[in-house]
Coordinates of all heavy atoms in Angstrom, one line a residue:
M689 N 3.1 11.3 7.4 CA 3.2 10.9 6.0 C 4.3 11.9 5.4 O 4.2 13.1 5.6 CB 1.9 11.1 5.3 CG 1.9 10.9 3.8 SD 1.8 9.3 3.2 CE 0.4 8.6 3.9
A690 N 5.2 11.3 4.6 CA 6.2 12.1 3.9 C 5.9 11.9 2.4 O 5.7 10.8 1.9 CB 7.6 11.6 4.3
S691 N 6.0 13.0 1.7 CA 5.8 13.0 0.2 C 7.1 13.5 -0.5 O 7.6 14.6 0.0 CB 4.6 13.8 -0.2 OG 3.4 13.3 0.4
F692 N 7.5 12.9 -1.5 CA 8.7 13.4 -2.2 C 8.8 12.7 -3.6 O 8.0 11.8 -3.9 CB 10.0 13.1 -1.5 CG 10.3 11.7 -1.2 CD1 11.2 11.0 -2.0 CD2 9.7 11.0 -0.1 CE1 11.5 9.6 -1.7 CE2 10.0 9.7 0.1 CZ 10.9 9.0 -0.7
R693 N 9.6 13.2 -4.4 CA 9.9 12.6 -5.7 C 11.3 11.9 -5.6 O 12.2 12.5 -5.2 CB 9.9 13.6 -6.8 CG 9.9 13.0 -8.2 CD 9.1 13.8 -9.2 NE 9.2 13.3 -10.6 CZ 8.4 12.3 -11.0 NH1 7.4 11.9 -10.3 NH2 8.5 11.9 -12.3
G694 N 11.3 10.6 -6.0 CA 12.6 9.9 -5.9 C 12.8 9.0 -7.1 O 11.9 8.7 -7.8
R695 N 14.1 8.7 -7.3 CA 14.5 7.8 -8.4 C 14.7 6.4 -7.9 O 15.3 6.1 -6.8 CB 15.8 8.3 -9.0 CG 16.3 7.3 -10.1 CD 17.2 8.0 -11.1 NE 16.4 9.0 -11.8 CZ 17.0 10.0 -12.4 NH1 18.3 10.1 -12.5 NH2 16.2 10.8 -13.0
I696 N 14.1 5.5 -8.6 CA 14.2 4.0 -8.3 C 15.6 3.6 -8.8 O 16.0 3.9 -9.9 CB 13.1 3.2 -8.9 CG1 11.8 3.7 -8.4 CG2 13.3 1.7 -8.7 CD1 10.6 3.4 -9.3
R697 N 16.3 2.9 -7.9 CA 17.6 2.4 -8.3 C 17.8 0.9 -7.8 O 17.0 0.5 -6.9 CB 18.8 3.3 -7.8 CG 18.9 3.2 -6.2 CD 20.1 4.0 -5.8 NE 20.2 4.1 -4.3 CZ 20.8 3.2 -3.6 NH1 21.3 2.1 -4.1 NH2 20.8 3.3 -2.3
R698 N 18.7 0.3 -8.3 CA 19.0 -1.1 -7.8 C 19.9 -1.0 -6.6 O 20.8 -0.1 -6.5 CB 19.8 -1.9 -8.9 CG 19.0 -2.1 -10.1 CD 19.6 -3.1 -11.0 NE 19.1 -3.1 -12.4 CZ 17.9 -3.4 -12.7 NH1 17.0 -3.8 -11.8 NH2 17.4 -3.3 -14.0
W699 N 19.6 -1.9 -5.6 CA 20.4 -1.9 -4.4 C 21.8 -2.2 -4.7 O 22.7 -1.6 -4.2 CB 19.8 -3.0 -3.4 CG 20.6 -3.2 -2.2 CD1 21.3 -4.2 -1.8 CD2 20.7 -2.2 -1.1 NE1 21.9 -4.0 -0.6 CE2 21.5 -2.8 -0.1 CE3 20.1 -1.0 -0.8 CZ2 21.8 -2.2 1.1 CZ3 20.4 -0.4 0.4 CH2 21.2 -1.0 1.3
R700 N 22.1 -3.2 -5.6 CA 23.4 -3.5 -6.1 C 23.4 -3.5 -7.6 O 22.7 -4.3 -8.2 CB 23.8 -4.9 -5.6 CG 24.1 -4.9 -4.1 CD 24.6 -6.2 -3.6 NE 25.8 -6.7 -4.4 CZ 26.3 -7.8 -4.1 NH1 25.9 -8.6 -3.2 NH2 27.4 -8.2 -4.9
E701 N 24.2 -2.6 -8.2 CA 24.2 -2.5 -9.7 C 24.8 -3.8 -10.3 O 24.5 -4.1 -11.5 CB 25.0 -1.3 -10.1 CG 24.4 0.0 -9.8 CD 23.0 0.2 -10.5 OE1 22.8 -0.3 -11.6 OE2 22.1 0.8 -9.9
D702 N 25.5 -4.6 -9.6 CA 26.1 -5.8 -10.1 C 25.1 -7.0 -10.2 O 25.4 -8.1 -10.6 CB 27.4 -6.2 -9.4 CG 27.1 -6.5 -7.9 OD1 26.2 -6.0 -7.3 OD2 27.9 -7.3 -7.4
K703 N 23.9 -6.7 -9.6 CA 22.8 -7.7 -9.6 C 21.6 -7.1 -10.3 O 20.7 -6.7 -9.6 CB 22.5 -8.2 -8.2 CG 23.7 -8.9 -7.6 CD 23.3 -9.7 -6.4 CE 24.5 -10.5 -6.0 NZ 24.2 -11.7 -5.3
P704 N 21.5 -7.1 -11.6 CA 20.4 -6.4 -12.3 C 19.0 -6.9 -12.0 O 18.1 -6.2 -12.1 CB 20.8 -6.6 -13.8 CG 21.8 -7.6 -13.9 CD 22.4 -7.7 -12.5
G705 N 18.9 -8.1 -11.6 CA 17.5 -8.7 -11.2 C 17.2 -8.5 -9.8 O 16.1 -9.0 -9.3
G706 N 18.1 -7.9 -9.0 CA 17.9 -7.8 -7.6 C 17.0 -6.7 -7.1 O 16.2 -6.1 -7.8
L707 N 17.1 -6.5 -5.8 CA 16.3 -5.5 -5.1 C 16.3 -4.1 -5.6 O 17.4 -3.6 -6.0 CB 16.7 -5.5 -3.6 CG 16.0 -4.6 -2.7 CD1 14.5 -5.0 -2.5 CD2 16.7 -4.5 -1.3
A708 N 15.2 -3.5 -5.7 CA 15.1 -2.1 -6.1 C 14.8 -1.3 -4.8 O 14.1 -1.7 -3.9 CB 14.0 -1.8 -7.1
V709 N 15.3 0.0 -4.8 CA 15.1 0.8 -3.6 C 14.9 2.3 -4.1 O 15.2 2.6 -5.2 CB 16.3 0.8 -2.6 CG1 16.6 -0.6 -2.1 CG2 17.6 1.3 -3.3
I710 N 14.4 3.1 -3.2 CA 14.2 4.5 -3.4 C 14.9 5.2 -2.2 O 14.5 4.9 -1.0 CB 12.8 5.0 -3.5 CG1 12.1 4.3 -4.7 CG2 12.7 6.5 -3.6 CD1 10.6 4.5 -4.8
D711 N 15.8 6.1 -2.5 CA 16.5 6.8 -1.4 C 15.5 7.8 -0.8 O 14.8 8.5 -1.5 CB 17.7 7.5 -1.9 CG 18.8 6.5 -2.3 OD1 19.2 5.7 -1.4 OD2 19.2 6.6 -3.5
I712 N 15.5 7.9 0.6 CA 14.6 8.8 1.3 C 15.4 10.1 1.5 O 16.5 10.0 2.0 CB 14.1 8.2 2.6 CG1 13.3 6.9 2.3 CG2 13.3 9.2 3.4 CD1 13.0 6.1 3.5
L713 N 14.8 11.2 1.2 CA 15.5 12.5 1.4 C 15.9 12.6 2.9 O 15.1 12.4 3.8 CB 14.6 13.6 1.0 CG 14.1 13.6 -0.4 CD1 13.1 14.7 -0.7 CD2 15.3 13.8 -1.3
P714 N 17.1 13.1 3.2 CA 17.6 13.2 4.6 C 16.7 14.0 5.5 O 16.5 13.7 6.6 CB 19.0 13.9 4.4 CG 19.4 13.6 3.0 CD 18.1 13.5 2.2
E715 N 16.0 15.1 4.9 CA 15.2 15.9 5.8 C 13.9 15.2 6.2 O 13.2 15.8 7.0 CB 14.9 17.3 5.1 CG 14.2 17.2 3.7 CD 15.2 17.1 2.6 OE1 16.4 16.7 2.7 OE2 14.8 17.4 1.5
L716 N 13.6 14.1 5.6 CA 12.3 13.4 5.9 C 12.6 12.2 6.9 O 11.6 11.7 7.4 CB 11.7 12.8 4.6 CG 11.3 13.9 3.6 CD1 10.7 13.2 2.4 CD2 10.3 14.9 4.2
V717 N 13.8 11.8 7.1 CA 14.1 10.6 7.9 C 13.6 10.8 9.3 O 12.9 9.8 9.8 CB 15.6 10.4 7.9 CG1 16.0 9.3 8.9 CG2 16.1 10.0 6.5
A718 N 13.8 11.9 10.0 CA 13.3 12.0 11.4 C 11.8 11.9 11.5 O 11.2 11.3 12.4 CB 13.8 13.3 12.0
D719 N 11.1 12.5 10.5 CA 9.6 12.5 10.5 C 9.1 11.0 10.3 O 8.0 10.7 10.8 CB 9.0 13.3 9.4 CG 9.3 14.8 9.6 OD1 9.5 15.2 10.8 OD2 9.2 15.6 8.6
L720 N 9.9 10.2 9.7 CA 9.4 8.8 9.4 C 9.8 7.9 10.6 O 9.5 6.7 10.5 CB 10.0 8.3 8.1 CG 9.4 9.0 6.9 CD1 10.2 8.5 5.6 CD2 7.9 8.6 6.7
G721 N 10.6 8.3 11.6 CA 10.9 7.5 12.7 C 12.4 7.3 12.9 O 12.8 6.5 13.8
G722 N 13.2 8.0 12.1 CA 14.7 7.9 12.3 C 15.3 6.8 11.5 O 14.7 6.1 10.7
R723 N 16.6 6.7 11.6 CA 17.4 5.8 10.8 C 17.5 4.4 11.4 O 18.5 4.0 12.1 CB 18.9 6.3 10.6 CG 19.0 7.5 9.6 CD 20.4 8.0 9.5 NE 21.4 7.0 9.5 CZ 21.8 6.3 8.4 NH1 21.3 6.6 7.3 NH2 22.8 5.5 8.5
R724 N 16.4 3.7 11.3 CA 16.4 2.3 11.7 C 15.4 1.5 10.8 O 14.7 2.1 10.1 CB 15.9 2.2 13.2 CG 14.5 2.8 13.4 CD 14.2 2.9 14.9 NE 12.8 3.5 15.0 CZ 11.7 2.8 15.2 NH1 11.8 1.5 15.3 NH2 10.6 3.4 15.4
Q725 N 15.6 0.2 10.9 CA 14.7 -0.6 10.0 C 13.3 -0.6 10.5 O 13.0 -0.8 11.6 CB 15.2 -2.1 9.9 CG 14.5 -2.9 8.9 CD 15.0 -4.3 8.7 OE1 15.8 -4.7 9.5 NE2 14.6 -4.9 7.7
M726 N 12.4 -0.2 9.5 CA 11.0 -0.2 9.9 C 10.2 -0.6 8.7 O 10.6 -0.5 7.5 CB 10.5 1.3 10.1 CG 11.2 1.9 11.3 SD 10.8 3.7 11.4 CE 12.0 4.3 10.2
R727 N 9.0 -1.1 8.9 CA 8.1 -1.5 7.8 C 7.3 -0.2 7.4 O 6.9 0.6 8.3 CB 7.1 -2.5 8.3 CG 6.3 -3.2 7.3 CD 7.2 -4.2 6.6 NE 6.3 -4.9 5.6 CZ 6.8 -5.2 4.4 NH1 8.0 -4.9 4.0 NH2 6.0 -5.7 3.5
M728 N 7.3 0.1 6.1 CA 6.6 1.3 5.6 C 5.5 0.9 4.7 O 5.5 -0.2 4.1 CB 7.6 2.1 4.8 CG 8.9 2.5 5.6 SD 8.6 3.5 7.0 CE 8.4 5.1 6.3
A729 N 4.5 1.8 4.6 CA 3.4 1.7 3.7 C 3.3 3.0 3.0 O 3.6 4.1 3.5 CB 2.1 1.4 4.4
G730 N 2.9 2.9 1.7 CA 2.8 4.2 1.0 C 2.3 4.0 -0.4 O 1.7 2.9 -0.7
T731 N 2.6 4.9 -1.3 CA 2.2 4.8 -2.7 C 3.4 5.2 -3.6 O 4.3 6.0 -3.2 CB 1.0 5.7 -3.1 OG1 1.4 7.1 -2.9 CG2 -0.2 5.4 -2.2
L732 N 3.4 4.6 -4.8 CA 4.3 4.9 -5.9 C 3.5 5.4 -7.0 O 2.7 4.6 -7.6 CB 5.2 3.7 -6.3 CG 6.2 3.1 -5.4 CD1 6.7 1.9 -6.0 CD2 7.3 4.1 -5.2
N733 N 3.6 6.7 -7.4 CA 2.7 7.2 -8.4 C 1.2 6.8 -8.2 O 0.5 6.5 -9.1 CB 3.1 6.7 -9.8 CG 4.4 7.4 -10.3 OD1 4.9 8.3 -9.7 ND2 5.0 6.9 -11.4
G734 N 0.8 6.9 -6.9 CA -0.6 6.6 -6.5 C -0.9 5.1 -6.3 O -2.0 4.8 -5.9
V735 N 0.0 4.2 -6.6 CA -0.3 2.8 -6.4 C 0.3 2.3 -5.1 O 1.5 2.6 -4.8 CB 0.4 2.0 -7.6 CG1 0.2 0.5 -7.4 CG2 -0.2 2.4 -8.9
A736 N -0.5 1.7 -4.2 CA -0.1 1.3 -2.9 C 1.0 0.2 -2.9 O 1.1 -0.6 -3.8 CB -1.3 0.7 -2.2
F737 N 1.9 0.3 -2.0 CA 3.0 -0.6 -1.8 C 3.4 -0.6 -0.3 O 3.1 0.3 0.4 CB 4.2 -0.4 -2.7 CG 5.2 0.6 -2.2 CD1 6.4 0.2 -1.7 CD2 4.9 2.0 -2.2 CE1 7.3 1.1 -1.2 CE2 5.8 2.9 -1.7 CZ 7.0 2.5 -1.2
T738 N 4.1 -1.7 0.1 CA 4.8 -1.8 1.4 C 6.2 -2.2 1.2 O 6.6 -2.8 0.2 CB 4.1 -2.8 2.3 OG1 4.2 -4.1 1.7 CG2 2.7 -2.4 2.6
G739 N 7.1 -1.8 2.1 CA 8.5 -2.1 2.0 C 9.2 -1.8 3.3 O 8.5 -1.3 4.3
S740 N 10.4 -2.2 3.5 CA 11.2 -1.9 4.7 C 12.3 -1.0 4.4 O 12.9 -1.0 3.3 CB 11.8 -3.3 5.2 OG 10.7 -4.1 5.6
T741 N 12.6 -0.1 5.4 CA 13.7 0.8 5.3 C 15.0 0.1 5.5 O 15.0 -0.9 6.2 CB 13.5 2.0 6.2 OG1 13.4 1.5 7.6 CG2 12.3 2.8 5.9
M742 N 16.1 0.6 5.0 CA 17.4 0.1 5.1 C 18.4 1.2 5.2 O 18.2 2.2 4.5 CB 17.7 -0.8 3.9 CG 16.8 -2.0 3.8 SD 17.2 -2.9 2.3 CE 16.4 -1.9 1.1
L743 N 19.5 1.0 6.0 CA 20.6 1.9 6.0 C 21.4 1.8 4.8 O 21.6 0.7 4.3 CB 21.4 1.7 7.3 CG 20.7 1.9 8.6 CD1 21.6 1.5 9.8 CD2 20.3 3.3 8.8
V744 N 22.0 2.9 4.3 CA 22.8 2.8 3.1 C 24.2 3.3 3.6 O 24.3 4.2 4.4 CB 22.3 3.8 2.0 CG1 23.2 3.9 0.8 CG2 20.9 3.4 1.6
A745 N 25.3 2.6 3.1 CA 26.6 3.0 3.4 C 26.8 4.5 3.1 O 26.3 5.0 2.1 CB 27.6 2.2 2.6
G746 N 27.5 5.2 4.0 CA 27.8 6.6 3.8 C 26.7 7.5 4.4 O 26.7 8.7 4.3
G747 N 25.8 6.9 5.1 CA 24.8 7.7 5.9 C 23.4 7.8 5.2 O 22.6 8.5 5.7
G748 N 23.2 7.2 4.1 CA 21.9 7.3 3.4 C 20.9 6.4 4.1 O 21.1 5.6 5.0
F749 N 19.7 6.5 3.5 CA 18.5 5.7 4.1 C 17.6 5.5 2.9 O 17.4 6.4 2.1 CB 17.8 6.6 5.2 CG 16.9 5.8 6.1 CD1 17.3 4.7 6.8 CD2 15.6 6.3 6.2 CE1 16.4 4.0 7.6 CE2 14.7 5.6 7.1 CZ 15.2 4.5 7.8
C750 N 17.0 4.3 2.8 CA 16.2 4.0 1.6 C 15.1 3.0 2.0 O 15.1 2.5 3.1 CB 17.0 3.4 0.5 SG 17.7 1.8 0.8
V751 N 14.1 2.8 1.1 CA 13.1 1.9 1.3 C 13.1 0.9 0.1 O 13.2 1.3 -1.0 CB 11.7 2.6 1.4 CG1 11.3 3.4 0.2 CG2 10.6 1.6 1.8
G752 N 12.9 -0.4 0.4 CA 12.9 -1.4 -0.6 C 11.6 -1.4 -1.3 O 10.5 -1.1 -0.7
V753 N 11.6 -1.7 -2.6 CA 10.4 -1.8 -3.4 C 10.4 -3.1 -4.2 O 11.3 -3.4 -4.9 CB 10.3 -0.6 -4.4 CG1 9.0 -0.6 -5.2 CG2 10.5 0.7 -3.7
S754 N 9.3 -3.9 -4.0 CA 9.3 -5.2 -4.6 C 9.0 -5.0 -6.1 O 8.5 -4.0 -6.6 CB 8.1 -6.0 -4.0 OG 6.9 -5.5 -4.4
R755 N 9.4 -6.1 -6.9 CA 9.1 -6.1 -8.3 C 7.7 -6.0 -8.6 O 7.2 -5.4 -9.5 CB 9.7 -7.4 -8.9 CG 9.6 -7.5 -10.4 CD 10.3 -8.7 -11.0 NE 11.7 -8.6 -10.5 CZ 12.6 -9.7 -10.5 NH1 12.2 -10.8 -11.0 NH2 13.8 -9.6 -10.1
A756 N 6.8 -6.7 -7.8 CA 5.4 -6.6 -7.9 C 4.9 -5.2 -7.8 O 4.0 -4.7 -8.6 CB 4.7 -7.5 -6.9
A757 N 5.4 -4.4 -6.9 CA 5.0 -3.0 -6.7 C 5.4 -2.2 -7.9 O 4.7 -1.3 -8.4 CB 5.5 -2.4 -5.4
L758 N 6.6 -2.4 -8.3 CA 7.1 -1.7 -9.5 C 6.2 -2.0 -10.7 O 5.9 -1.1 -11.5 CB 8.6 -2.0 -9.8 CG 9.6 -1.5 -8.8 CD1 11.0 -2.1 -9.2 CD2 9.6 0.0 -8.8
N759 N 5.9 -3.2 -11.0 CA 5.1 -3.6 -12.1 C 3.7 -3.0 -12.0 O 3.2 -2.5 -13.0 CB 5.0 -5.1 -12.2 CG 6.3 -5.8 -12.6 OD1 7.2 -5.2 -13.2 ND2 6.4 -7.1 -12.4
A760 N 3.1 -3.0 -10.8 CA 1.8 -2.4 -10.6 C 1.8 -0.9 -10.9 O 0.8 -0.4 -11.4 CB 1.3 -2.7 -9.2
A761 N 2.9 -0.3 -10.6 CA 3.0 1.2 -10.8 C 3.5 1.5 -12.2 O 3.6 2.7 -12.6 CB 3.8 1.8 -9.8
G762 N 3.9 0.5 -13.0 CA 4.4 0.7 -14.3 C 5.8 1.3 -14.3 O 6.2 2.1 -15.2
L763 N 6.6 1.0 -13.3 CA 7.9 1.6 -13.1 C 9.1 0.6 -13.2 O 8.8 -0.7 -13.0 CB 8.0 2.3 -11.7 CG 7.0 3.4 -11.5 CD1 6.9 3.8 -10.0 CD2 7.5 4.6 -12.3
S764 N 10.3 1.0 -13.3 CA 11.5 0.2 -13.3 C 12.6 1.0 -12.8 O 12.5 2.2 -12.7 CB 11.7 -0.5 -14.7 OG 12.0 0.5 -15.6
A765 N 13.7 0.3 -12.5 CA 15.0 1.0 -12.1 C 15.3 2.1 -13.1 O 15.3 1.9 -14.3 CB 16.1 0.0 -11.9
G766 N 15.7 3.3 -12.5 CA 16.0 4.4 -13.3 C 14.9 5.4 -13.5 O 15.1 6.6 -13.8
D767 N 13.7 5.0 -13.2 CA 12.5 5.9 -13.3 C 12.4 6.7 -12.1 O 12.7 6.3 -10.9 CB 11.2 5.1 -13.4 CG 11.1 4.3 -14.8 OD1 11.8 4.7 -15.7 OD2 10.3 3.4 -14.9
D768 N 11.8 7.9 -12.2 CA 11.4 8.8 -11.1 C 10.0 8.5 -10.7 O 9.2 8.2 -11.6 CB 11.6 10.3 -11.5 CG 13.0 10.7 -11.6 OD1 13.9 10.0 -11.0 OD2 13.3 11.6 -12.4
A769 N 9.7 8.6 -9.5 CA 8.3 8.3 -9.0 C 7.9 9.3 -7.9 O 8.7 9.8 -7.1 CB 8.2 6.9 -8.5
D770 N 6.6 9.6 -7.9 CA 6.0 10.4 -6.7 C 5.8 9.4 -5.6 O 5.1 8.4 -5.8 CB 4.7 11.1 -7.1 CG 5.0 12.2 -8.2 OD1 5.9 12.9 -8.0 OD2 4.2 12.3 -9.1
V771 N 6.4 9.6 -4.5 CA 6.4 8.7 -3.4 C 5.7 9.3 -2.2 O 5.9 10.5 -1.8 CB 7.8 8.3 -3.0 CG1 7.8 7.2 -1.8 CG2 8.6 7.8 -4.2
Q772 N 4.8 8.5 -1.5 CA 4.3 8.9 -0.2 C 4.6 7.7 0.7 O 4.4 6.6 0.3 CB 2.8 9.1 -0.3 CG 2.4 10.4 -1.0 CD 0.9 10.7 -0.9 OE1 0.1 9.8 -0.8 NE2 0.6 11.9 -0.8
L773 N 5.1 8.0 1.9 CA 5.5 7.0 2.8 C 5.1 7.3 4.2 O 5.0 8.5 4.6 CB 7.1 6.9 2.9 CG 7.8 6.1 1.9 CD1 9.3 6.2 2.1 CD2 7.4 4.7 1.7
D774 N 4.7 6.3 5.0 CA 4.4 6.4 6.4 C 4.8 5.1 7.0 O 4.8 4.1 6.4 CB 2.9 6.7 6.6 CG 2.7 7.5 7.9 OD1 3.6 7.6 8.7 OD2 1.5 7.9 8.1
R775 N 5.0 5.1 8.3 CA 5.2 3.8 9.0 C 4.0 3.0 8.9 O 2.9 3.5 9.2 CB 5.6 4.1 10.5 CG 7.0 4.7 10.5 CD 7.5 5.2 11.8 NE 7.2 4.4 13.0 CZ 7.5 4.8 14.2 NH1 8.2 5.9 14.4 NH2 7.2 4.1 15.2
A776 N 4.2 1.7 8.6 CA 3.1 0.8 8.5 C 2.6 0.4 9.9 O 3.3 0.3 10.8 CB 3.5 -0.5 7.7
T777 N 1.3 0.2 10.0 CA 0.7 -0.3 11.2 C 0.3 -1.8 11.0 O -0.2 -2.1 9.9 CB -0.6 0.5 11.6 OG1 -1.5 0.4 10.4 CG2 -0.3 1.9 11.9
L778 N 0.7 -2.6 11.9 CA 0.5 -4.0 11.8 C -0.9 -4.5 12.2 O -1.5 -3.9 12.9 CB 1.6 -4.8 12.5 CG 3.0 -4.5 12.1 CD1 4.0 -5.2 13.0 CD2 3.2 -4.9 10.6

């Protein structure tokens, strides 16, 4: 399990209604399974959510956050959130 504080941002700023993501701190990537696409489970400000990791151009790594998860946690793009992540078990 990795815990950190992250800022929610839009995957593409030119698509304001599109996918939201949270960048994963580089020092946590190895603990979460490395830089590859994985299903994740965790919490945003204590509210459960699931998402998939994605590679970011330039070497970054992030997890997608659904609109439903953002709404449940009372968050939107630009907000900071307390995040807990772990690889999801199917």
Side-chain angles (χ1 to χ4, degrees):
M689 172 86 53
S691 298
F692 61 99
R693 188 147 178 88
R695 176 154 297 160
I696 300 160
R697 67 175 177 86
R698 298 194 194 290
W699 177 250
R700 289 183 52 181
E701 289 301 325
D702 61 333
K703 297 200 175 203
L707 177 66
V709 298
I710 299 174
D711 293 303
I712 298 171
L713 300 173
E715 59 269 22
L716 300 176
V717 172
D719 291 342
L720 292 171
R723 285 179 40 86
R724 59 189 179 98
Q725 187 173 13
M726 297 172 279
R727 193 79 178 137
M728 304 298 281
T731 63
L732 293 173
N733 288 350
V735 178
F737 85 105
T738 59
S740 293
T741 57
M742 298 176 281
L743 298 174
V744 177
F749 196 55
C750 66
V751 62
V753 182
S754 71
R755 187 173 304 164
L758 290 175
N759 289 340
L763 297 165
S764 60
D767 292 342
D768 290 332
D770 292 318
V771 181
Q772 289 189 324
L773 281 179
D774 206 353
R775 287 172 39 182
T777 55
L778 300 178

